Amino acid sequence: MATLKKKLMYLLDSAQSVLNISELSSEQKEEIKKILTLFSDEHEGLTGVVLTTLDGYPIASHCKDNNHVHLERLSIWIKSTLSVLAGILDEIEGGQQRVMFLESESRNIIIYMIPHHKVRLVLTAAFFNDSNMAKLNWHIRQLSSLILDVIDEGETSDNK
């Protein structure tokens, strides 16, 4: 019964993020894209960074070296991955997701949950294996703070 309740809460959280993401202005989305571009350009080895909602709605991305990524398709894969991870964490009573690391032959991926009181966001970064994963993880956390600042600034200006 508790697992069913958790799944229902997860679905409600996802529905809530769909409603609230529409509140992001085009200026906020553009500012977030600029931040992702600057972040990507500053970190050697980083091949791309994508920001989505928890339910898979794409917000912004930046890919280096014409490494074209189909944002909508990637957003769906991220959502599916996080859904599976949520099920695993439910089974072991591990609590809420925070960060996930994936390692492949040529690239590593960090999927980082950005908690916000209005919308749950997911920041995904792909980088080459020779990159320092611990250092990039720390920088991803800093990047998430910048993104939250943009979202919170929009809320402040809406309330004036």
Side-chain angles (χ1 to χ4, degrees), residues 105-124:
E105 292 176 7
S106 64
R107 292 209 168 86
N108 293 326
I109 297 174
I110 296 175
I111 300 176
Y112 183 74
M113 307 297 292
I114 303 176
H116 187 266
H117 67 279
K118 284 200 127 187
V119 61
R120 294 175 66 193
L121 302 173
V122 180
L123 186 60
T124 304

PDB file of all heavy atoms in Angstrom, residues 105-124:
ATOM      1  N   GLU A 105      31.767   3.352 -22.091  1.00  0.00           N
ATOM      2  CA  GLU A 105      33.122   3.218 -22.621  1.00  0.00           C
ATOM      3  C   GLU A 105      33.759   4.564 -22.968  1.00  0.00           C
ATOM      4  O   GLU A 105      34.953   4.750 -22.786  1.00  0.00           O
ATOM      5  CB  GLU A 105      33.121   2.326 -23.859  1.00  0.00           C
ATOM      6  CG  GLU A 105      32.799   0.879 -23.548  1.00  0.00           C
ATOM      7  CD  GLU A 105      32.707   0.038 -24.805  1.00  0.00           C
ATOM      8  OE1 GLU A 105      33.014   0.532 -25.909  1.00  0.00           O
ATOM      9  OE2 GLU A 105      32.313  -1.136 -24.682  1.00  0.00           O
ATOM     10  N   SER A 106      32.967   5.490 -23.469  1.00  0.00           N
ATOM     11  CA  SER A 106      33.556   6.755 -23.932  1.00  0.00           C
ATOM     12  C   SER A 106      33.063   8.002 -23.195  1.00  0.00           C
ATOM     13  O   SER A 106      33.697   9.046 -23.273  1.00  0.00           O
ATOM     14  CB  SER A 106      33.307   6.937 -25.429  1.00  0.00           C
ATOM     15  OG  SER A 106      31.914   7.048 -25.672  1.00  0.00           O
ATOM     16  N   ARG A 107      31.933   7.892 -22.518  1.00  0.00           N
ATOM     17  CA  ARG A 107      31.373   9.065 -21.859  1.00  0.00           C
ATOM     18  C   ARG A 107      30.808   8.704 -20.493  1.00  0.00           C
ATOM     19  O   ARG A 107      30.426   7.579 -20.224  1.00  0.00           O
ATOM     20  CB  ARG A 107      30.265   9.676 -22.708  1.00  0.00           C
ATOM     21  CG  ARG A 107      30.780  10.290 -23.977  1.00  0.00           C
ATOM     22  CD  ARG A 107      29.910  11.429 -24.410  1.00  0.00           C
ATOM     23  NE  ARG A 107      30.526  12.189 -25.447  1.00  0.00           N
ATOM     24  CZ  ARG A 107      30.466  11.926 -26.748  1.00  0.00           C
ATOM     25  NH1 ARG A 107      29.814  10.875 -27.163  1.00  0.00           N
ATOM     26  NH2 ARG A 107      31.056  12.714 -27.620  1.00  0.00           N
ATOM     27  N   ASN A 108      30.722   9.740 -19.662  1.00  0.00           N
ATOM     28  CA  ASN A 108      30.047   9.640 -18.376  1.00  0.00           C
ATOM     29  C   ASN A 108      28.869  10.603 -18.400  1.00  0.00           C
ATOM     30  O   ASN A 108      28.880  11.602 -19.127  1.00  0.00           O
ATOM     31  CB  ASN A 108      30.988  10.027 -17.230  1.00  0.00           C
ATOM     32  CG  ASN A 108      32.116   9.050 -17.059  1.00  0.00           C
ATOM     33  OD1 ASN A 108      31.959   7.860 -17.268  1.00  0.00           O
ATOM     34  ND2 ASN A 108      33.271   9.556 -16.683  1.00  0.00           N
ATOM     35  N   ILE A 109      27.888  10.306 -17.582  1.00  0.00           N
ATOM     36  CA  ILE A 109      26.701  11.167 -17.498  1.00  0.00           C
ATOM     37  C   ILE A 109      26.375  11.384 -16.028  1.00  0.00           C
ATOM     38  O   ILE A 109      26.406  10.451 -15.226  1.00  0.00           O
ATOM     39  CB  ILE A 109      25.491  10.525 -18.208  1.00  0.00           C
ATOM     40  CG1 ILE A 109      25.786  10.370 -19.700  1.00  0.00           C
ATOM     41  CG2 ILE A 109      24.226  11.349 -17.987  1.00  0.00           C
ATOM     42  CD1 ILE A 109      24.723   9.614 -20.453  1.00  0.00           C
ATOM     43  N   ILE A 110      26.060  12.635 -15.704  1.00  0.00           N
ATOM     44  CA  ILE A 110      25.535  12.979 -14.382  1.00  0.00           C
ATOM     45  C   ILE A 110      24.100  13.438 -14.587  1.00  0.00           C
ATOM     46  O   ILE A 110      23.835  14.306 -15.416  1.00  0.00           O
ATOM     47  CB  ILE A 110      26.339  14.114 -13.718  1.00  0.00           C
ATOM     48  CG1 ILE A 110      27.772  13.683 -13.440  1.00  0.00           C
ATOM     49  CG2 ILE A 110      25.652  14.563 -12.423  1.00  0.00           C
ATOM     50  CD1 ILE A 110      28.649  14.801 -12.884  1.00  0.00           C
ATOM     51  N   ILE A 111      23.180  12.835 -13.852  1.00  0.00           N
ATOM     52  CA  ILE A 111      21.784  13.284 -13.846  1.00  0.00           C
ATOM     53  C   ILE A 111      21.519  13.801 -12.441  1.00  0.00           C
ATOM     54  O   ILE A 111      21.571  13.055 -11.466  1.00  0.00           O
ATOM     55  CB  ILE A 111      20.815  12.146 -14.215  1.00  0.00           C
ATOM     56  CG1 ILE A 111      21.138  11.609 -15.611  1.00  0.00           C
ATOM     57  CG2 ILE A 111      19.366  12.632 -14.137  1.00  0.00           C
ATOM     58  CD1 ILE A 111      20.297  10.414 -16.028  1.00  0.00           C
ATOM     59  N   TYR A 112      21.262  15.104 -12.358  1.00  0.00           N
ATOM     60  CA  TYR A 112      21.150  15.772 -11.064  1.00  0.00           C
ATOM     61  C   TYR A 112      19.755  16.361 -10.893  1.00  0.00           C
ATOM     62  O   TYR A 112      19.267  17.092 -11.751  1.00  0.00           O
ATOM     63  CB  TYR A 112      22.208  16.877 -10.974  1.00  0.00           C
ATOM     64  CG  TYR A 112      22.232  17.590  -9.648  1.00  0.00           C
ATOM     65  CD1 TYR A 112      22.764  16.971  -8.528  1.00  0.00           C
ATOM     66  CD2 TYR A 112      21.716  18.866  -9.512  1.00  0.00           C
ATOM     67  CE1 TYR A 112      22.781  17.607  -7.301  1.00  0.00           C
ATOM     68  CE2 TYR A 112      21.733  19.519  -8.289  1.00  0.00           C
ATOM     69  CZ  TYR A 112      22.258  18.878  -7.194  1.00  0.00           C
ATOM     70  OH  TYR A 112      22.270  19.501  -5.979  1.00  0.00           O
ATOM     71  N   MET A 113      19.110  16.021  -9.798  1.00  0.00           N
ATOM     72  CA  MET A 113      17.779  16.542  -9.499  1.00  0.00           C
ATOM     73  C   MET A 113      17.921  17.927  -8.864  1.00  0.00           C
ATOM     74  O   MET A 113      18.701  18.100  -7.931  1.00  0.00           O
ATOM     75  CB  MET A 113      17.051  15.625  -8.518  1.00  0.00           C
ATOM     76  CG  MET A 113      17.002  14.169  -8.949  1.00  0.00           C
ATOM     77  SD  MET A 113      16.093  13.907 -10.463  1.00  0.00           S
ATOM     78  CE  MET A 113      14.463  14.291  -9.901  1.00  0.00           C
ATOM     79  N   ILE A 114      17.172  18.883  -9.378  1.00  0.00           N
ATOM     80  CA  ILE A 114      17.187  20.239  -8.822  1.00  0.00           C
ATOM     81  C   ILE A 114      15.863  20.462  -8.102  1.00  0.00           C
ATOM     82  O   ILE A 114      14.827  20.631  -8.737  1.00  0.00           O
ATOM     83  CB  ILE A 114      17.371  21.308  -9.920  1.00  0.00           C
ATOM     84  CG1 ILE A 114      18.651  21.057 -10.701  1.00  0.00           C
ATOM     85  CG2 ILE A 114      17.361  22.703  -9.309  1.00  0.00           C
ATOM     86  CD1 ILE A 114      18.860  22.019 -11.862  1.00  0.00           C
ATOM     87  N   PRO A 115      15.884  20.449  -6.786  1.00  0.00           N
ATOM     88  CA  PRO A 115      14.635  20.647  -6.049  1.00  0.00           C
ATOM     89  C   PRO A 115      14.232  22.121  -6.031  1.00  0.00           C
ATOM     90  O   PRO A 115      15.074  22.999  -5.875  1.00  0.00           O
ATOM     91  CB  PRO A 115      14.992  20.159  -4.642  1.00  0.00           C
ATOM     92  CG  PRO A 115      16.465  20.378  -4.525  1.00  0.00           C
ATOM     93  CD  PRO A 115      17.026  20.219  -5.909  1.00  0.00           C
ATOM     94  N   HIS A 116      12.980  22.371  -6.251  1.00  0.00           N
ATOM     95  CA  HIS A 116      12.429  23.721  -6.187  1.00  0.00           C
ATOM     96  C   HIS A 116      11.002  23.586  -5.678  1.00  0.00           C
ATOM     97  O   HIS A 116      10.338  22.587  -5.946  1.00  0.00           O
ATOM     98  CB  HIS A 116      12.463  24.369  -7.576  1.00  0.00           C
ATOM     99  CG  HIS A 116      12.079  25.811  -7.563  1.00  0.00           C
ATOM    100  ND1 HIS A 116      10.795  26.235  -7.807  1.00  0.00           N
ATOM    101  CD2 HIS A 116      12.806  26.934  -7.341  1.00  0.00           C
ATOM    102  CE1 HIS A 116      10.760  27.564  -7.734  1.00  0.00           C
ATOM    103  NE2 HIS A 116      11.964  27.999  -7.453  1.00  0.00           N
ATOM    104  N   HIS A 117      10.526  24.587  -4.973  1.00  0.00           N
ATOM    105  CA  HIS A 117       9.183  24.475  -4.396  1.00  0.00           C
ATOM    106  C   HIS A 117       8.082  24.516  -5.447  1.00  0.00           C
ATOM    107  O   HIS A 117       6.962  24.095  -5.193  1.00  0.00           O
ATOM    108  CB  HIS A 117       8.959  25.556  -3.335  1.00  0.00           C
ATOM    109  CG  HIS A 117       8.918  26.945  -3.885  1.00  0.00           C
ATOM    110  ND1 HIS A 117      10.066  27.656  -4.169  1.00  0.00           N
ATOM    111  CD2 HIS A 117       7.883  27.732  -4.235  1.00  0.00           C
ATOM    112  CE1 HIS A 117       9.722  28.833  -4.648  1.00  0.00           C
ATOM    113  NE2 HIS A 117       8.419  28.907  -4.702  1.00  0.00           N
ATOM    114  N   LYS A 118       8.368  25.002  -6.665  1.00  0.00           N
ATOM    115  CA  LYS A 118       7.336  25.075  -7.697  1.00  0.00           C
ATOM    116  C   LYS A 118       7.455  23.995  -8.768  1.00  0.00           C
ATOM    117  O   LYS A 118       6.459  23.565  -9.320  1.00  0.00           O
ATOM    118  CB  LYS A 118       7.379  26.434  -8.384  1.00  0.00           C
ATOM    119  CG  LYS A 118       6.791  27.545  -7.561  1.00  0.00           C
ATOM    120  CD  LYS A 118       6.443  28.675  -8.439  1.00  0.00           C
ATOM    121  CE  LYS A 118       5.004  29.037  -8.200  1.00  0.00           C
ATOM    122  NZ  LYS A 118       4.507  30.026  -9.102  1.00  0.00           N
ATOM    123  N   VAL A 119       8.682  23.623  -9.098  1.00  0.00           N
ATOM    124  CA  VAL A 119       8.875  22.667 -10.187  1.00  0.00           C
ATOM    125  C   VAL A 119      10.134  21.845  -9.904  1.00  0.00           C
ATOM    126  O   VAL A 119      11.114  22.372  -9.396  1.00  0.00           O
ATOM    127  CB  VAL A 119       8.968  23.393 -11.552  1.00  0.00           C
ATOM    128  CG1 VAL A 119      10.137  24.335 -11.591  1.00  0.00           C
ATOM    129  CG2 VAL A 119       9.015  22.410 -12.699  1.00  0.00           C
ATOM    130  N   ARG A 120      10.053  20.555 -10.197  1.00  0.00           N
ATOM    131  CA  ARG A 120      11.224  19.685 -10.017  1.00  0.00           C
ATOM    132  C   ARG A 120      11.931  19.573 -11.357  1.00  0.00           C
ATOM    133  O   ARG A 120      11.332  19.173 -12.353  1.00  0.00           O
ATOM    134  CB  ARG A 120      10.784  18.340  -9.478  1.00  0.00           C
ATOM    135  CG  ARG A 120      10.227  18.504  -8.054  1.00  0.00           C
ATOM    136  CD  ARG A 120       9.659  17.252  -7.497  1.00  0.00           C
ATOM    137  NE  ARG A 120      10.716  16.268  -7.321  1.00  0.00           N
ATOM    138  CZ  ARG A 120      10.466  14.985  -7.082  1.00  0.00           C
ATOM    139  NH1 ARG A 120       9.231  14.559  -6.983  1.00  0.00           N
ATOM    140  NH2 ARG A 120      11.451  14.142  -6.929  1.00  0.00           N
ATOM    141  N   LEU A 121      13.195  19.940 -11.359  1.00  0.00           N
ATOM    142  CA  LEU A 121      13.973  19.966 -12.586  1.00  0.00           C
ATOM    143  C   LEU A 121      15.047  18.899 -12.571  1.00  0.00           C
ATOM    144  O   LEU A 121      15.471  18.442 -11.512  1.00  0.00           O
ATOM    145  CB  LEU A 121      14.632  21.344 -12.754  1.00  0.00           C
ATOM    146  CG  LEU A 121      13.680  22.529 -12.798  1.00  0.00           C
ATOM    147  CD1 LEU A 121      14.463  23.835 -12.780  1.00  0.00           C
ATOM    148  CD2 LEU A 121      12.801  22.451 -14.032  1.00  0.00           C
ATOM    149  N   VAL A 122      15.501  18.538 -13.767  1.00  0.00           N
ATOM    150  CA  VAL A 122      16.553  17.546 -13.922  1.00  0.00           C
ATOM    151  C   VAL A 122      17.621  18.139 -14.831  1.00  0.00           C
ATOM    152  O   VAL A 122      17.330  18.577 -15.941  1.00  0.00           O
ATOM    153  CB  VAL A 122      16.012  16.239 -14.548  1.00  0.00           C
ATOM    154  CG1 VAL A 122      17.125  15.220 -14.707  1.00  0.00           C
ATOM    155  CG2 VAL A 122      14.866  15.686 -13.716  1.00  0.00           C
ATOM    156  N   LEU A 123      18.851  18.159 -14.346  1.00  0.00           N
ATOM    157  CA  LEU A 123      19.983  18.662 -15.106  1.00  0.00           C
ATOM    158  C   LEU A 123      20.864  17.475 -15.468  1.00  0.00           C
ATOM    159  O   LEU A 123      21.308  16.739 -14.587  1.00  0.00           O
ATOM    160  CB  LEU A 123      20.762  19.666 -14.255  1.00  0.00           C
ATOM    161  CG  LEU A 123      21.904  20.407 -14.915  1.00  0.00           C
ATOM    162  CD1 LEU A 123      21.422  21.230 -16.099  1.00  0.00           C
ATOM    163  CD2 LEU A 123      22.594  21.292 -13.900  1.00  0.00           C
ATOM    164  N   THR A 124      21.072  17.267 -16.759  1.00  0.00           N
ATOM    165  CA  THR A 124      21.863  16.139 -17.231  1.00  0.00           C
ATOM    166  C   THR A 124      23.074  16.662 -17.977  1.00  0.00           C
ATOM    167  O   THR A 124      22.946  17.514 -18.854  1.00  0.00           O
ATOM    168  CB  THR A 124      21.032  15.235 -18.162  1.00  0.00           C
ATOM    169  OG1 THR A 124      19.860  14.820 -17.459  1.00  0.00           O
ATOM    170  CG2 THR A 124      21.813  14.022 -18.612  1.00  0.00           C
TER     171      THR A 124
END
